[in-house]
Amino acid sequence: MLSNIRIVLVQTFHPGNIGATARAMKTMGLTNLVLINPRQFPDEEATRLSAGATDVIDNARVVTHLEEAVADCVQVVGASARLRSLPLPHFDEPDDMAESVTQNAQSAPVALVFGRERSGLTNDEIRCCTHQVSIPANPDYGILNLSQAVQILAYEVHRAWRKRDDSDYAYQQPTESTPPSREQMTHFQAHLGRLMQQSGFITQPHARTEEQLQALFTRAQPSRKELSLLRGLLSSLESHLPER
Amino acid sequence: MLSNIRIVLVQTFHPGNIGATARAMKTMGLTNLVLINPRQFPDEEATRLSAGATDVIDNARVVTHLEEAVADCVQVVGASARLRSLPLPHFDEPDDMAESVTQNAQSAPVALVFGRERSGLTNDEIRCCTHQVSIPANPDYGILNLSQAVQILAYEVHRAWRKRDDSDYAYQQPTESTPPSREQMTHFQAHLGRLMQQSGFITQPHARTEEQLQALFTRAQPSRKELSLLRGLLSSLESHLPER
Protein backbone atom coordinates (compact mmCIF):
# COMPACT_ATOMS: atom_id res chain seq x y z
CA MET A 1 0.00 0.00 0.00
CA LEU A 2 2.78 2.44 0.88
CA SER A 3 4.41 1.61 -2.47
CA ASN A 4 1.36 3.10 -4.19
CA ILE A 5 2.17 6.48 -2.68
CA ARG A 6 4.22 8.69 -4.94
CA ILE A 7 6.08 11.82 -3.81
CA VAL A 8 6.39 14.38 -6.60
CA LEU A 9 8.71 17.40 -6.42
CA VAL A 10 8.23 20.13 -9.00
CA GLN A 11 11.28 22.08 -10.23
CA THR A 12 13.28 21.78 -7.04
CA PHE A 13 16.04 24.40 -6.92
CA HIS A 14 18.36 22.99 -4.24
CA PRO A 15 19.61 19.43 -4.87
CA GLY A 16 20.12 19.17 -1.10
CA ASN A 17 16.35 19.35 -0.68
CA ILE A 18 15.98 16.37 -3.02
CA GLY A 19 18.42 14.37 -0.91
CA ALA A 20 16.77 15.34 2.37
CA THR A 21 13.40 14.48 0.83
CA ALA A 22 14.61 11.00 -0.13
CA ARG A 23 15.78 10.43 3.43
CA ALA A 24 12.54 11.73 4.91
CA MET A 25 10.56 9.44 2.60
CA LYS A 26 12.52 6.32 3.38
CA THR A 27 12.22 6.76 7.16
CA MET A 28 8.46 6.62 6.63
CA GLY A 29 8.48 3.63 4.28
CA LEU A 30 7.97 5.60 1.06
CA THR A 31 10.26 4.89 -1.88
CA ASN A 32 8.51 6.23 -4.97
CA LEU A 33 9.99 9.63 -5.95
CA VAL A 34 9.30 11.58 -9.13
CA LEU A 35 11.09 14.82 -10.04
CA ILE A 36 9.62 17.31 -12.49
CA ASN A 37 12.40 19.29 -14.16
CA PRO A 38 14.78 19.51 -11.19
CA ARG A 39 17.26 22.35 -11.67
CA GLN A 40 20.31 20.21 -10.87
CA PHE A 41 20.04 16.44 -10.72
CA PRO A 42 21.73 14.01 -10.31
CA ASP A 43 23.97 15.91 -7.90
CA GLU A 44 26.52 15.17 -5.20
CA GLU A 45 24.60 17.26 -2.69
CA ALA A 46 21.43 15.23 -3.27
CA THR A 47 23.34 12.00 -2.73
CA ARG A 48 25.11 13.33 0.36
CA LEU A 49 21.96 14.52 2.10
CA SER A 50 20.05 11.37 1.27
CA ALA A 51 22.29 9.57 3.82
CA GLY A 52 21.21 5.92 3.65
CA ALA A 53 18.40 6.58 1.20
CA THR A 54 20.50 6.59 -1.97
CA ASP A 55 18.26 3.87 -3.40
CA VAL A 56 15.34 6.31 -3.39
CA ILE A 57 17.51 8.84 -5.24
CA ASP A 58 18.77 6.24 -7.71
CA ASN A 59 15.25 5.01 -8.50
CA ALA A 60 13.76 8.49 -8.81
CA ARG A 61 11.97 9.10 -12.09
CA VAL A 62 12.67 12.41 -13.84
CA VAL A 63 10.04 13.85 -16.18
CA THR A 64 9.30 17.21 -17.73
CA HIS A 65 5.62 17.71 -16.94
CA LEU A 66 3.48 17.06 -13.89
CA GLU A 67 0.77 15.37 -16.00
CA GLU A 68 3.25 12.61 -16.90
CA ALA A 69 3.94 11.98 -13.23
CA VAL A 70 0.33 11.63 -12.13
CA ALA A 71 -1.65 10.42 -15.16
CA ASP A 72 -2.41 7.03 -13.57
CA CYS A 73 -3.15 8.40 -10.11
CA VAL A 74 -6.65 8.32 -8.65
CA GLN A 75 -5.87 11.08 -6.15
CA VAL A 76 -3.38 13.93 -6.43
CA VAL A 77 -2.88 16.09 -3.35
CA GLY A 78 -1.10 19.40 -3.85
CA ALA A 79 0.76 20.68 -0.79
CA SER A 80 0.34 24.39 -0.62
CA ALA A 81 1.25 27.01 2.00
CA ARG A 82 -1.85 29.01 1.33
CA LEU A 83 -5.28 28.54 -0.13
CA ARG A 84 -5.54 29.16 -3.82
CA SER A 85 -8.33 30.82 -5.66
CA LEU A 86 -9.15 27.53 -7.44
CA PRO A 87 -11.57 25.86 -5.04
CA LEU A 88 -10.32 22.31 -4.87
CA PRO A 89 -11.36 20.25 -1.87
CA HIS A 90 -8.94 21.25 0.84
CA PHE A 91 -7.67 19.31 3.83
CA ASP A 92 -7.15 21.69 6.75
CA GLU A 93 -5.45 18.91 8.68
CA PRO A 94 -2.74 16.62 7.29
CA ASP A 95 -4.12 13.71 9.29
CA ASP A 96 -7.41 13.86 7.40
CA MET A 97 -5.46 13.98 4.15
CA ALA A 98 -3.42 10.95 5.20
CA GLU A 99 -6.47 8.87 6.02
CA SER A 100 -7.95 9.64 2.63
CA VAL A 101 -4.69 8.92 0.80
CA THR A 102 -3.98 5.63 2.58
CA GLN A 103 -7.52 4.50 1.90
CA ASN A 104 -7.17 5.16 -1.85
CA ALA A 105 -3.65 3.76 -1.97
CA GLN A 106 -5.05 0.34 -1.10
CA SER A 107 -6.02 -0.10 -4.71
CA ALA A 108 -4.36 2.48 -6.96
CA PRO A 109 -1.53 5.02 -7.14
CA VAL A 110 -1.91 8.36 -5.39
CA ALA A 111 0.46 11.32 -5.42
CA LEU A 112 1.53 14.06 -3.00
CA VAL A 113 2.84 17.01 -5.00
CA PHE A 114 5.23 19.63 -3.63
CA GLY A 115 6.09 22.84 -5.44
CA ARG A 116 9.14 25.06 -5.84
CA GLU A 117 10.93 26.32 -2.74
CA ARG A 118 10.01 29.95 -3.34
CA SER A 119 6.87 29.96 -5.44
CA GLY A 120 5.12 26.68 -4.77
CA LEU A 121 2.86 25.30 -7.52
CA THR A 122 1.53 27.19 -10.54
CA ASN A 123 -2.19 27.35 -11.24
CA ASP A 124 -1.73 24.90 -14.12
CA GLU A 125 -0.13 22.45 -11.71
CA ILE A 126 -2.92 22.93 -9.16
CA ARG A 127 -5.29 21.95 -11.98
CA CYS A 128 -3.60 18.53 -12.10
CA CYS A 129 -4.59 18.04 -8.46
CA THR A 130 -7.76 16.60 -6.97
CA HIS A 131 -7.14 18.01 -3.48
CA GLN A 132 -5.01 20.50 -1.62
CA VAL A 133 -3.49 20.26 1.82
CA SER A 134 -1.79 22.82 4.03
CA ILE A 135 0.34 22.19 7.08
CA PRO A 136 -1.09 24.33 9.89
CA ALA A 137 1.71 26.53 11.18
CA ASN A 138 2.70 29.79 12.84
CA PRO A 139 0.75 32.49 11.01
CA ASP A 140 3.76 34.82 11.36
CA TYR A 141 6.24 32.32 9.95
CA GLY A 142 4.55 29.42 8.28
CA ILE A 143 6.74 28.41 5.33
CA LEU A 144 8.46 25.14 6.08
CA ASN A 145 11.58 24.00 4.29
CA LEU A 146 10.55 21.73 1.40
CA SER A 147 12.04 18.51 2.81
CA GLN A 148 10.53 19.29 6.23
CA ALA A 149 7.09 19.57 4.64
CA VAL A 150 7.69 16.21 2.96
CA GLN A 151 8.80 14.74 6.31
CA ILE A 152 5.61 15.88 8.06
CA LEU A 153 3.22 14.65 5.37
CA ALA A 154 5.12 11.37 5.02
CA TYR A 155 4.95 10.98 8.80
CA GLU A 156 1.18 11.55 8.74
CA VAL A 157 0.78 8.99 5.95
CA HIS A 158 2.79 6.48 7.99
CA ARG A 159 0.65 7.27 11.02
CA ALA A 160 -2.57 6.72 9.11
CA TRP A 161 -1.17 3.44 7.85
CA ARG A 162 -0.13 2.34 11.39
CA LYS A 163 -3.60 3.00 12.71
CA ARG A 164 -5.28 0.81 10.13
CA ASP A 165 -6.39 -2.62 11.30
CA ASP A 166 -4.53 -4.31 8.49
CA SER A 167 -1.14 -2.75 9.09
CA ASP A 168 1.48 -5.03 10.60
CA TYR A 169 3.41 -2.25 12.32
CA ALA A 170 4.93 -3.44 15.57
CA TYR A 171 6.01 -1.11 18.34
CA GLN A 172 9.23 -1.86 20.14
CA GLN A 173 8.44 -3.73 23.34
CA PRO A 174 10.60 -3.57 26.43
CA THR A 175 12.12 -6.96 27.19
CA GLU A 176 11.08 -7.50 30.80
CA SER A 177 7.35 -7.25 31.17
CA THR A 178 5.76 -9.67 33.67
CA PRO A 179 4.48 -7.48 36.48
CA PRO A 180 4.58 -8.61 40.14
CA SER A 181 1.65 -10.63 41.42
CA ARG A 182 -0.90 -9.15 43.83
CA GLU A 183 0.63 -11.26 46.59
CA GLN A 184 4.10 -9.82 45.96
CA MET A 185 2.71 -6.27 45.98
CA THR A 186 0.81 -6.96 49.19
CA HIS A 187 3.95 -8.28 50.89
CA PHE A 188 5.82 -5.17 49.81
CA GLN A 189 3.11 -2.84 51.04
CA ALA A 190 2.98 -4.62 54.38
CA HIS A 191 6.76 -4.32 54.65
CA LEU A 192 6.57 -0.60 53.84
CA GLY A 193 3.77 -0.16 56.36
CA ARG A 194 5.81 -1.81 59.13
CA LEU A 195 8.73 0.48 58.32
CA MET A 196 6.54 3.56 58.51
CA GLN A 197 5.39 2.60 61.96
CA GLN A 198 8.66 1.30 63.37
CA SER A 199 10.54 4.42 62.25
CA GLY A 200 8.17 6.65 64.16
CA PHE A 201 6.93 8.26 60.94
CA ILE A 202 3.41 7.18 61.77
CA THR A 203 2.63 7.88 65.40
CA GLN A 204 -1.07 7.07 65.32
CA PRO A 205 -2.74 4.27 63.44
CA HIS A 206 -3.42 6.58 60.48
CA ALA A 207 -4.45 4.32 57.67
CA ARG A 208 -4.57 7.31 55.30
CA THR A 209 -0.82 8.03 55.16
CA GLU A 210 0.01 4.38 54.71
CA GLU A 211 -2.57 4.02 51.95
CA GLN A 212 -1.38 7.12 50.10
CA LEU A 213 2.22 6.03 49.96
CA GLN A 214 1.27 2.50 49.10
CA ALA A 215 -0.84 3.84 46.25
CA LEU A 216 2.15 5.81 44.95
CA PHE A 217 4.19 2.61 44.68
CA THR A 218 1.33 0.79 43.02
CA ARG A 219 1.02 3.61 40.49
CA ALA A 220 4.75 3.40 39.76
CA GLN A 221 4.10 -0.12 38.48
CA PRO A 222 7.38 -1.56 39.72
CA SER A 223 8.73 -4.56 37.86
CA ARG A 224 9.56 -7.70 39.81
CA LYS A 225 13.19 -6.69 39.84
CA GLU A 226 12.44 -3.19 41.10
CA LEU A 227 10.19 -4.59 43.80
CA SER A 228 12.98 -6.85 44.87
CA LEU A 229 15.37 -3.85 45.05
CA LEU A 230 12.84 -1.93 47.12
CA ARG A 231 12.39 -4.85 49.52
CA GLY A 232 16.14 -5.00 49.92
CA LEU A 233 16.30 -1.28 50.71
CA LEU A 234 13.48 -1.57 53.23
CA SER A 235 15.28 -4.47 54.93
CA SER A 236 18.53 -2.50 55.17
CA LEU A 237 16.70 0.42 56.76
CA GLU A 238 14.74 -1.88 59.04
CA SER A 239 17.90 -3.42 60.40
CA HIS A 240 18.76 -0.10 62.06
CA LEU A 241 15.38 0.34 63.74
CA PRO A 242 14.62 -0.71 67.30
CA GLU A 243 12.37 -3.74 67.59
CA ARG A 244 8.77 -3.03 68.49
CA MET B 1 1.62 27.97 26.63
CA LEU B 2 3.87 27.26 23.63
CA SER B 3 6.47 29.57 25.17
CA ASN B 4 6.76 27.12 28.07
CA ILE B 5 8.01 24.45 25.70
CA ARG B 6 11.76 24.24 25.49
CA ILE B 7 13.69 22.42 22.74
CA VAL B 8 17.06 21.13 23.99
CA LEU B 9 19.79 19.86 21.66
CA VAL B 10 22.67 17.95 23.22
CA GLN B 11 26.14 18.27 21.69
CA THR B 12 24.99 18.84 18.14
CA PHE B 13 27.79 18.13 15.66
CA HIS B 14 26.55 19.91 12.53
CA PRO B 15 25.74 23.61 12.96
CA GLY B 16 23.40 23.26 9.96
CA ASN B 17 21.20 21.03 12.08
CA ILE B 18 20.95 23.78 14.70
CA GLY B 19 19.80 26.25 12.02
CA ALA B 20 17.31 23.85 10.50
CA THR B 21 16.03 23.10 14.02
CA ALA B 22 15.46 26.79 14.70
CA ARG B 23 13.46 27.09 11.49
CA ALA B 24 11.44 23.97 12.25
CA MET B 25 10.67 25.31 15.72
CA LYS B 26 9.54 28.71 14.57
CA THR B 27 7.16 27.35 11.95
CA MET B 28 5.41 25.58 14.83
CA GLY B 29 5.36 28.55 17.18
CA LEU B 30 8.23 27.40 19.39
CA THR B 31 11.01 29.86 20.19
CA ASN B 32 12.79 28.53 23.27
CA LEU B 33 16.03 26.76 22.24
CA VAL B 34 18.79 25.53 24.54
CA LEU B 35 22.06 24.04 23.31
CA ILE B 36 24.19 21.78 25.48
CA ASN B 37 27.84 22.01 24.42
CA PRO B 38 27.31 22.43 20.68
CA ARG B 39 30.47 21.54 18.77
CA GLN B 40 30.43 24.70 16.66
CA PHE B 41 28.20 27.62 17.59
CA PRO B 42 27.54 30.41 16.73
CA ASP B 43 28.20 29.51 13.11
CA GLU B 44 27.42 30.85 9.64
CA GLU B 45 25.86 27.55 8.62
CA ALA B 46 23.46 27.67 11.57
CA THR B 47 22.40 31.19 10.65
CA ARG B 48 22.04 30.36 6.98
CA LEU B 49 19.84 27.32 7.50
CA SER B 50 17.69 29.08 10.06
CA ALA B 51 16.28 31.15 7.16
CA GLY B 52 13.84 33.59 8.80
CA ALA B 53 14.30 32.10 12.27
CA THR B 54 17.50 33.94 13.18
CA ASP B 55 15.77 35.30 16.28
CA VAL B 56 15.49 31.76 17.63
CA ILE B 57 19.21 31.25 16.99
CA ASP B 58 20.13 34.61 18.54
CA ASN B 59 18.09 33.91 21.67
CA ALA B 60 19.33 30.36 22.10
CA ARG B 61 20.82 29.64 25.50
CA VAL B 62 24.12 27.72 25.56
CA VAL B 63 25.00 25.68 28.65
CA THR B 64 27.39 22.88 29.49
CA HIS B 65 25.16 20.34 31.21
CA LEU B 66 21.68 19.05 30.56
CA GLU B 67 20.70 19.48 34.21
CA GLU B 68 21.14 23.24 33.88
CA ALA B 69 18.79 23.30 30.92
CA VAL B 70 15.93 21.42 32.57
CA ALA B 71 16.19 22.05 36.31
CA ASP B 72 12.94 24.04 36.42
CA CYS B 73 11.01 21.75 34.09
CA VAL B 74 8.12 19.64 35.34
CA GLN B 75 8.39 17.23 32.43
CA VAL B 76 11.43 16.28 30.35
CA VAL B 77 10.85 14.08 27.31
CA GLY B 78 13.90 12.44 25.77
CA ALA B 79 13.57 11.70 22.07
CA SER B 80 15.21 8.41 21.36
CA ALA B 81 15.37 6.16 18.32
CA ARG B 82 15.22 3.03 20.37
CA LEU B 83 14.08 1.94 23.80
CA ARG B 84 16.68 2.12 26.48
CA SER B 85 17.26 -0.27 29.29
CA LEU B 86 16.23 2.37 31.83
CA PRO B 87 12.48 1.91 32.04
CA LEU B 88 11.15 5.43 31.89
CA PRO B 89 7.53 5.87 30.85
CA HIS B 90 7.59 5.71 27.10
CA PHE B 91 5.29 7.28 24.54
CA ASP B 92 4.92 4.96 21.54
CA GLU B 93 3.11 7.69 19.67
CA PRO B 94 4.24 11.31 19.43
CA ASP B 95 0.65 12.52 19.53
CA ASP B 96 0.20 11.04 23.01
CA MET B 97 3.42 12.74 24.06
CA ALA B 98 2.24 16.05 22.65
CA GLU B 99 -1.07 15.93 24.53
CA SER B 100 0.78 15.29 27.77
CA VAL B 101 3.34 18.02 27.12
CA THR B 102 0.81 20.68 26.11
CA GLN B 103 -1.24 19.88 29.17
CA ASN B 104 1.74 20.37 31.51
CA ALA B 105 2.97 23.43 29.60
CA GLN B 106 -0.19 25.27 30.64
CA SER B 107 1.41 25.95 33.99
CA ALA B 108 5.15 25.24 33.93
CA PRO B 109 8.14 24.70 31.66
CA VAL B 110 8.58 21.36 29.89
CA ALA B 111 11.45 20.22 27.68
CA LEU B 112 11.91 18.01 24.64
CA VAL B 113 15.48 16.74 24.55
CA PHE B 114 17.28 15.56 21.41
CA GLY B 115 20.64 13.80 21.44
CA ARG B 116 23.73 13.69 19.24
CA GLU B 117 23.33 12.90 15.56
CA ARG B 118 25.16 9.59 15.77
CA SER B 119 24.84 8.39 19.33
CA GLY B 120 21.70 10.00 20.73
CA LEU B 121 21.55 10.55 24.50
CA THR B 122 23.81 8.99 27.13
CA ASN B 123 22.36 7.05 30.04
CA ASP B 124 23.18 9.95 32.37
CA GLU B 125 21.16 12.25 30.13
CA ILE B 126 18.25 9.81 30.00
CA ARG B 127 18.29 10.00 33.80
CA CYS B 128 17.46 13.70 33.55
CA CYS B 129 14.29 12.76 31.68
CA THR B 130 10.85 11.91 33.00
CA HIS B 131 9.66 10.29 29.76
CA GLN B 132 10.91 8.97 26.47
CA VAL B 133 9.36 9.20 23.04
CA SER B 134 10.19 7.51 19.75
CA ILE B 135 8.99 8.45 16.29
CA PRO B 136 7.53 5.30 14.72
CA ALA B 137 9.37 4.72 11.47
CA ASN B 138 10.54 2.21 8.89
CA PRO B 139 12.13 -0.65 10.88
CA ASP B 140 14.75 -1.01 8.12
CA TYR B 141 15.68 2.66 8.10
CA GLY B 142 14.34 4.51 11.06
CA ILE B 143 16.89 7.17 11.97
CA LEU B 144 15.59 10.60 11.05
CA ASN B 145 17.84 13.58 10.55
CA LEU B 146 17.96 15.53 13.84
CA SER B 147 16.14 18.64 12.57
CA GLN B 148 13.52 16.42 10.91
CA ALA B 149 12.84 14.72 14.24
CA VAL B 150 12.47 18.17 15.82
CA GLN B 151 10.12 19.20 13.01
CA ILE B 152 7.86 16.20 13.57
CA LEU B 153 7.67 16.53 17.35
CA ALA B 154 7.17 20.30 17.10
CA TYR B 155 4.41 19.67 14.57
CA GLU B 156 2.72 17.21 16.96
CA VAL B 157 2.96 19.72 19.81
CA HIS B 158 1.37 22.38 17.59
CA ARG B 159 -1.33 19.90 16.60
CA ALA B 160 -2.13 19.06 20.22
CA TRP B 161 -2.29 22.78 20.96
CA ARG B 162 -4.61 23.43 17.98
CA LYS B 163 -6.99 20.73 19.12
CA ARG B 164 -7.40 22.22 22.59
CA ASP B 165 -10.57 24.17 23.25
CA ASP B 166 -8.63 27.17 24.45
CA SER B 167 -6.37 27.57 21.44
CA ASP B 168 -7.15 30.48 19.16
CA TYR B 169 -5.76 28.85 16.05
CA ALA B 170 -7.69 29.90 12.96
CA TYR B 171 -7.67 27.93 9.74
CA GLN B 172 -7.50 29.85 6.52
CA GLN B 173 -11.02 30.23 5.17
CA PRO B 174 -11.78 30.54 1.50
CA THR B 175 -13.25 33.98 0.81
CA GLU B 176 -16.50 33.07 -0.96
CA SER B 177 -18.61 30.80 1.16
CA THR B 178 -22.37 31.39 1.01
CA PRO B 179 -23.79 28.31 -0.68
CA PRO B 180 -26.72 28.49 -3.09
CA SER B 181 -30.20 28.27 -1.59
CA ARG B 182 -32.37 25.19 -2.01
CA GLU B 183 -34.51 27.12 -4.48
CA GLN B 184 -31.48 27.95 -6.64
CA MET B 185 -30.37 24.30 -6.60
CA THR B 186 -33.87 23.15 -7.49
CA HIS B 187 -34.00 25.53 -10.46
CA PHE B 188 -30.66 24.24 -11.65
CA GLN B 189 -31.69 20.62 -11.31
CA ALA B 190 -34.93 21.28 -13.20
CA HIS B 191 -32.93 22.99 -15.95
CA LEU B 192 -30.54 20.04 -16.13
CA GLY B 193 -33.45 17.62 -16.20
CA ARG B 194 -35.05 19.46 -19.14
CA LEU B 195 -31.78 19.34 -21.02
CA MET B 196 -31.43 15.62 -20.44
CA GLN B 197 -34.85 15.04 -21.94
CA GLN B 198 -34.71 17.54 -24.78
CA SER B 199 -31.35 16.23 -25.95
CA GLY B 200 -32.70 12.74 -26.29
CA PHE B 201 -30.38 11.45 -23.59
CA ILE B 202 -33.36 10.27 -21.61
CA THR B 203 -35.80 8.49 -23.85
CA GLN B 204 -38.14 7.15 -21.20
CA PRO B 205 -39.30 8.93 -18.10
CA HIS B 206 -36.49 7.35 -16.04
CA ALA B 207 -36.35 9.28 -12.84
CA ARG B 208 -33.26 7.30 -11.77
CA THR B 209 -30.80 8.72 -14.29
CA GLU B 210 -31.96 12.27 -13.65
CA GLU B 211 -31.72 11.78 -9.90
CA GLN B 212 -28.23 10.29 -10.08
CA LEU B 213 -26.78 13.13 -12.09
CA GLN B 214 -28.59 15.70 -10.01
CA ALA B 215 -27.10 14.08 -6.88
CA LEU B 216 -23.61 14.37 -8.38
CA PHE B 217 -24.04 18.11 -8.77
CA THR B 218 -25.41 18.43 -5.27
CA ARG B 219 -22.42 16.53 -3.92
CA ALA B 220 -20.05 18.85 -5.78
CA GLN B 221 -21.41 21.65 -3.62
CA PRO B 222 -21.26 24.31 -6.30
CA SER B 223 -20.86 27.89 -5.14
CA ARG B 224 -23.37 30.49 -6.32
CA LYS B 225 -20.92 31.57 -8.96
CA GLU B 226 -20.32 28.04 -10.20
CA LEU B 227 -24.04 27.39 -10.35
CA SER B 228 -24.42 30.52 -12.40
CA LEU B 229 -21.70 29.29 -14.80
CA LEU B 230 -23.42 25.91 -15.09
CA ARG B 231 -26.78 27.56 -15.81
CA GLY B 232 -25.08 29.59 -18.51
CA LEU B 233 -23.60 26.46 -20.07
CA LEU B 234 -26.94 24.66 -19.97
CA SER B 235 -28.60 27.61 -21.67
CA SER B 236 -26.01 27.69 -24.45
CA LEU B 237 -26.50 23.98 -25.08
CA GLU B 238 -30.26 24.32 -24.89
CA SER B 239 -30.29 26.97 -27.58
CA HIS B 240 -29.18 24.35 -30.09
CA LEU B 241 -31.87 21.83 -29.24
CA PRO B 242 -35.20 21.50 -31.03
CA GLU B 243 -38.22 22.71 -29.08
CA ARG B 244 -40.37 20.02 -27.57
Side-chain angles (χ1 to χ4, degrees):
Chain A
M1 185 271 286
L2 289 179
S3 59
N4 256 342
I5 299 175
R6 197 171 299 174
I7 301 294
V8 182
L9 302 189
V10 178
Q11 278 203 308
T12 309
F13 190 87
H14 295 291
N17 281 334
I18 297 177
T21 287
R23 181 178 184 176
M25 286 172 62
K26 191 169 180 177
T27 60
M28 294 296 144
L30 303 178
T31 49
N32 200 324
L33 176 62
V34 185
L35 307 171
I36 319 294
N37 252 347
R39 185 183 62 97
Q40 206 168 307
F41 184 83
D43 185 277
E44 227 176 65
E45 191 69 353
T47 306
R48 186 175 77 80
L49 281 171
S50 68
T54 44
D55 54 329
V56 176
I57 292 282
D58 294 342
N59 295 327
R61 194 156 66 100
V62 181
V63 298
T64 44
H65 291 95
L66 180 54
E67 293 88 339
E68 296 172 64
V70 302
D72 58 338
C73 293
V74 299
Q75 183 176 28
V76 182
V77 183
S80 176
R82 55 200 163 277
L83 285 190
R84 296 310 188 89
S85 53
L86 189 68
L88 285 180
H90 180 262
F91 293 106
D92 279 337
E93 284 287 347
D95 57 8
D96 295 329
M97 177 277 293
E99 275 186 48
S100 173
V101 158
T102 49
Q103 177 60 35
N104 284 314
Q106 295 281 96
S107 49
V110 301
L112 300 189
V113 183
F114 298 81
R116 300 153 190 79
E117 287 94 329
R118 285 190 185 280
S119 52
L121 298 169
T122 62
N123 282 336
D124 277 348
E125 288 153 359
I126 298 271
R127 265 182 223 114
C128 286
C129 300
T130 59
H131 296 79
Q132 289 183 92
V133 68
S134 311
I135 297 173
N138 180 354
D140 298 326
Y141 185 73
I143 314 292
L144 279 69
N145 164 267
L146 172 60
S147 66
Q148 299 278 40
V150 175
Q151 180 76 80
I152 286 178
L153 297 189
Y155 163 78
E156 282 286 17
V157 163
H158 192 265
R159 203 167 75 92
W161 170 74
R162 277 200 302 285
K163 290 183 185 309
R164 291 179 65 90
D165 292 331
D166 53 3
S167 99
D168 57 4
Y169 185 78
Y171 295 98
Q172 296 182 52
Q173 291 302 333
T175 41
E176 212 262 281
S177 53
T178 314
S181 66
R182 293 311 307 146
E183 188 180 28
Q184 288 172 318
M185 280 306 290
T186 308
H187 279 163
F188 166 74
Q189 283 166 344
H191 197 170
L192 178 64
R194 282 196 307 277
L195 203 79
M196 289 198 255
Q197 298 197 14
Q198 285 171 22
S199 63
F201 175 60
I202 293 180
T203 47
Q204 293 160 37
H206 258 170
R208 291 253 73 195
T209 313
E210 278 194 52
E211 273 175 20
Q212 284 180 335
L213 287 181
Q214 283 160 357
L216 167 68
F217 283 98
T218 302
R219 201 170 73 240
Q221 289 181 294
S223 65
R224 288 180 180 223
K225 179 175 175 192
E226 286 166 337
L227 207 60
S228 169
L229 292 176
L230 283 170
R231 295 293 304 271
L233 172 62
L234 295 185
S235 296
S236 295
L237 293 167
E238 211 171 20
S239 68
H240 296 279
L241 301 175
E243 289 291 321
R244 276 205 179 182
Chain B
M1 185 273 286
L2 289 180
S3 59
N4 257 342
I5 298 175
R6 199 170 296 174
I7 301 295
V8 182
L9 302 189
V10 179
Q11 278 203 307
T12 309
F13 190 87
H14 296 290
N17 281 334
I18 297 178
T21 287
R23 181 179 184 176
M25 285 172 62
K26 192 169 179 178
T27 60
M28 296 294 144
L30 303 178
T31 50
N32 201 323
L33 176 63
V34 185
L35 306 171
I36 318 294
N37 252 346
R39 184 182 64 98
Q40 207 169 304
F41 185 83
D43 185 276
E44 227 178 66
E45 193 68 354
T47 306
R48 186 175 76 81
L49 282 170
S50 68
T54 45
D55 54 328
V56 177
I57 292 282
D58 294 341
N59 295 327
R61 196 156 66 101
V62 181
V63 297
T64 44
H65 292 95
L66 180 54
E67 292 88 339
E68 296 172 64
V70 303
D72 58 338
C73 293
V74 300
Q75 184 176 27
V76 181
V77 183
S80 175
R82 56 201 162 278
L83 286 191
R84 298 307 189 92
S85 53
L86 190 71
L88 284 181
H90 180 262
F91 294 106
D92 279 338
E93 284 287 348
D95 56 7
D96 295 328
M97 177 279 293
E99 274 185 49
S100 173
V101 158
T102 49
Q103 177 59 36
N104 284 314
Q106 294 283 96
S107 50
V110 302
L112 299 190
V113 183
F114 298 81
R116 301 154 189 79
E117 287 93 328
R118 284 189 184 281
S119 52
L121 298 169
T122 63
N123 281 335
D124 277 348
E125 287 152 359
I126 298 274
R127 265 181 224 116
C128 286
C129 299
T130 59
H131 296 79
Q132 289 183 90
V133 68
S134 311
I135 296 173
N138 180 354
D140 299 327
Y141 185 74
I143 314 292
L144 281 70
N145 164 269
L146 171 60
S147 65
Q148 300 278 40
V150 175
Q151 180 75 83
I152 286 178
L153 297 189
Y155 163 78
E156 282 286 18
V157 162
H158 191 266
R159 205 167 74 90
W161 170 74
R162 276 199 303 283
K163 291 186 185 306
R164 292 179 65 91
D165 291 331
D166 53 4
S167 99
D168 56 4
Y169 185 77
Y171 295 98
Q172 295 183 51
Q173 291 302 335
T175 39
E176 211 262 280
S177 53
T178 313
S181 65
R182 294 310 308 145
E183 187 181 25
Q184 287 171 317
M185 280 305 289
T186 308
H187 279 163
F188 165 74
Q189 284 166 343
H191 197 171
L192 177 63
R194 280 195 308 277
L195 203 78
M196 289 197 255
Q197 299 198 12
Q198 287 170 20
S199 62
F201 175 60
I202 293 179
T203 46
Q204 294 162 35
H206 257 169
R208 290 251 77 194
T209 312
E210 279 195 51
E211 272 175 19
Q212 283 180 335
L213 286 182
Q214 283 159 356
L216 167 68
F217 282 98
T218 301
R219 200 169 75 241
Q221 290 182 292
S223 65
R224 288 180 180 224
K225 179 177 176 190
E226 286 167 336
L227 207 62
S228 170
L229 292 176
L230 284 169
R231 295 294 301 272
L233 173 61
L234 296 185
S235 296
S236 295
L237 293 166
E238 211 171 18
S239 69
H240 296 279
L241 300 175
E243 290 292 322
R244 276 204 182 181

